[in-house]
Amino acid sequence: MSSPALAVAVLGSGLLADRIAERIAARADLEVTACTPASQAPPVGTECVVYVPAFAEITGAAPDIVLPQLLRDGFDVVSTAPLDGHVPPAELVDACHAGASTFHATGAFQSTIPARMLRSLAEVTRDIRRVELVEELDFGVSGVYPWDTVRDIGIGTTETALAAAAAAAVDGYYAAGLRVLDDAVFAGAAGTAATHRSSVEVVTDADGAVEKVVVERDLGPTLSYRSIWAAPGADRAPLRYQLVTTTGTARGTANVRFRFTDGLHPADHLTCVNVVEALRPIHEHGPGIAHRDLSITHLVPDDRLAIGGAG
């Protein structure tokens, strides 16, 4: 006997929210109860909520208010909002207790892909001493989630301060990825309380307009993550990764390139996939447990969000 379709509401507006709703509707085991702004309550009968805040909401205080309320109201939540820097973990734990709900901040962002790849690599490779990731992301005119346009990160403008603000807004995604890799590769040597460091370099042209933004991040001496954000380049895949692992005897490099899928930027396509694939596992997992692992197929509780007695 097939299980009934899971009733899901998408709270958010814009291209990504619409595409997530379309992909949910295309699944036989899922159904869309609504695709509305986050200011509106999910319809009666909704079991799970996908929260897709816009860039302005992420840089503001919206997730701090919306996420705990949804969980207290008993909705299981999959969120594209970066957790770090928003809702304190203890508050999410309390909200899950109150609503007997499950929370999963997927970090539904393109940065999950190299995290998953390296996590798998760590299972078959011994003695990794250092991991370096390089992400090259080319923006279209319409931007890439969570940025509405390429101008949100300053590219094409002389407002260099926008680049630092744009990087700060998504630091939580990358911090989550670095911690997952630290756990997978180095058995959490950096510690869950470790603070990742980041710096931003803005590259401008002769007229002072921003051409490229380079963000360097690290979590201790063994993990680094460089993001290079730029305008589109001719005959160049819009999303590219280089993964470098160093052991005591060798250095290995892997390159991965992603191109447009169904007219959607590959970064946004990956976000849609991450969100939709997380819905069933989160809802079917025991209530009252908050997760923050970036892997969808093997959910692992994050100690910072652990609920007493949960396993």
Side-chain angles (χ1 to χ4, degrees):
M1 179 182 295
S2 61
S3 59
L6 177 64
V8 183
V10 179
L11 301 189
S13 57
L15 174 63
L16 188 67
D18 291 341
R19 288 299 187 101
I20 289 174
E22 290 172 3
R23 295 189 182 203
I24 292 172
R27 285 267 297 260
D29 62 332
L30 305 172
E31 66 176 353
V32 179
T33 61
C35 184
T36 65
S39 57
Q40 299 183 22
V44 174
T46 298
E47 300 169 279
C48 194
V49 169
V50 177
Y51 176 46
V52 190
F55 182 61
E57 294 171 308
I58 289 175
T59 56
D64 304 59
I65 300 169
V66 174
L67 287 173
Q69 188 60 58
L70 288 170
L71 293 166
R72 289 192 193 97
D73 289 344
F75 298 107
D76 296 324
V77 177
V78 175
S79 173
T80 60
L83 180 62
D84 286 33
H86 282 287
V87 188
E91 186 174 345
L92 288 176
V93 169
D94 290 343
C96 288
H97 273 303
S101 53
T102 306
F103 173 71
H104 184 53
T106 63
F109 202 55
Q110 68 272 10
S111 59
T112 63
I113 299 303
R116 289 188 193 180
M117 292 178 63
L118 275 175
R119 184 172 188 152
S120 298
L121 179 63
E123 295 178 353
V124 297
T125 304
R126 302 291 183 183
D127 194 32
I128 295 179
R129 299 185 178 182
R130 179 167 173 76
V131 173
E132 303 163 69
L133 294 87
V134 179
E135 166 196 271
E136 296 180 89
L137 174 62
D138 290 355
F139 286 74
V141 175
S142 60
V144 174
Y145 183 82
W147 302 287
D148 297 320
T149 71
V150 68
R151 296 176 70 86
D152 282 338
I153 63 170
I155 291 179
T157 78
T158 57
E159 300 178 64
T160 56
L162 290 176
V170 297
D171 251 7
Y173 294 119
Y174 293 94
L178 285 169
R179 289 194 177 103
V180 166
L181 291 179
D182 179 46
D183 288 340
V185 183
F186 302 113
T192 57
T195 301
H196 77 288
R197 297 180 300 175
S198 63
S199 61
V200 181
E201 177 189 358
V202 181
V203 180
T204 60
D205 62 18
D207 297 321
V210 177
E211 289 186 326
K212 183 184 301 183
V213 178
V214 181
V215 187
E216 300 278 0
R217 302 178 180 86
D218 65 65
L219 186 68
T222 57
L223 279 171
S224 67
Y225 201 140
R226 174 185 297 171
S227 296
I228 303 172
W229 302 333
D235 301 322
R236 191 168 66 190
L239 181 61
R240 308 173 301 281
Y241 288 104
Q242 182 180 76
L243 316 177
V244 180
T245 56
T246 302
T247 69
T249 58
R251 180 181 173 92
T253 301
N255 294 288
V256 184
R257 296 175 176 84
F258 295 93
R259 299 190 180 275
F260 278 84
T261 301
D262 191 26
L264 194 64
H265 192 288
D268 287 342
H269 167 72
L270 294 173
T271 297
C272 288
V273 170
N274 289 338
V275 167
V276 175
E277 291 303 317
L279 289 168
R280 272 288 180 184
I282 289 303
H283 181 68
E284 293 174 355
H285 208 284
I289 301 175
H291 292 274
R292 198 165 155 287
D293 181 25
L294 298 185
S295 173
I296 298 301
T297 57
H298 180 53
L299 295 174
V300 178
D302 185 312
D303 290 340
R304 289 169 298 158
L305 297 183
I307 292 176

